[in-house]
Amino acid sequence: MAGGWEFPGGKLDSGEESLAGLKRELKEELNVDVHSAELVDKCAHNYPDRRILLELWAVTHYEGIPASNEGQAIKWVAIDTLHQVGMLPADEPLVKALQARCSSRVT
């Protein structure tokens, strides 16, 4: 899916729990140590060659300064403009879930 943007993360190792996989992936990709996170939503997506299950986590406490460890481009994007950056089709429902979560917290 070259050229598309997606949330950081990746595949779980065999037998790995979701939160453990999130912590491992964010350490590998962004060099941050996740101390706590909350599951926001999950969704399945069918690509022509595979079906994937994505989980969206809100990291609530971490240490480190996010940086690209694997040479991929990274950027901070305002939640209300995520739909403009070219997110991959599988991530679109998660963008909506994240926007809904954040708008419900605004008072």
Side-chain angles (χ1 to χ4, degrees):
M1 308 302 301
W5 285 92
E6 59 187 341
F7 294 110
K11 294 179 183 176
L12 294 176
D13 290 337
S14 179
E16 187 175 40
E17 295 291 326
S18 295
L19 182 56
L22 174 74
K23 290 178 177 183
R24 177 184 51 76
E25 285 285 338
L26 293 187
K27 183 65 175 178
E28 290 173 2
E29 291 184 12
L30 300 175
N31 199 34
V32 296
D33 294 305
V34 174
H35 296 292
S36 61
E38 301 170 357
L39 182 63
V40 174
D41 200 4
K42 56 175 103 176
C43 69
H45 185 81
N46 293 316
Y47 282 107
D49 61 337
R50 66 191 177 281
R51 178 177 172 85
I52 60 172
L53 175 64
L54 296 174
E55 294 182 347
L56 177 66
W57 290 78
V59 174
T60 55
H61 183 244
Y62 70 93
E63 287 183 59
I65 299 171
S68 176
N69 278 350
E70 298 178 340
Q72 73 276 34
I74 62 172
K75 68 175 156 178
W76 293 103
V77 178
I79 290 171
D80 60 343
T81 63
L82 277 172
H83 63 283
Q84 298 172 358
V85 298
M87 297 291 287
L88 294 177
D91 289 293
E92 290 174 9
L94 299 178
V95 167
K96 291 176 184 170
L98 181 60
Q99 290 170 333
R101 178 182 193 269
C102 292
S103 67
S104 69
R105 292 180 175 223
V106 175
T107 56

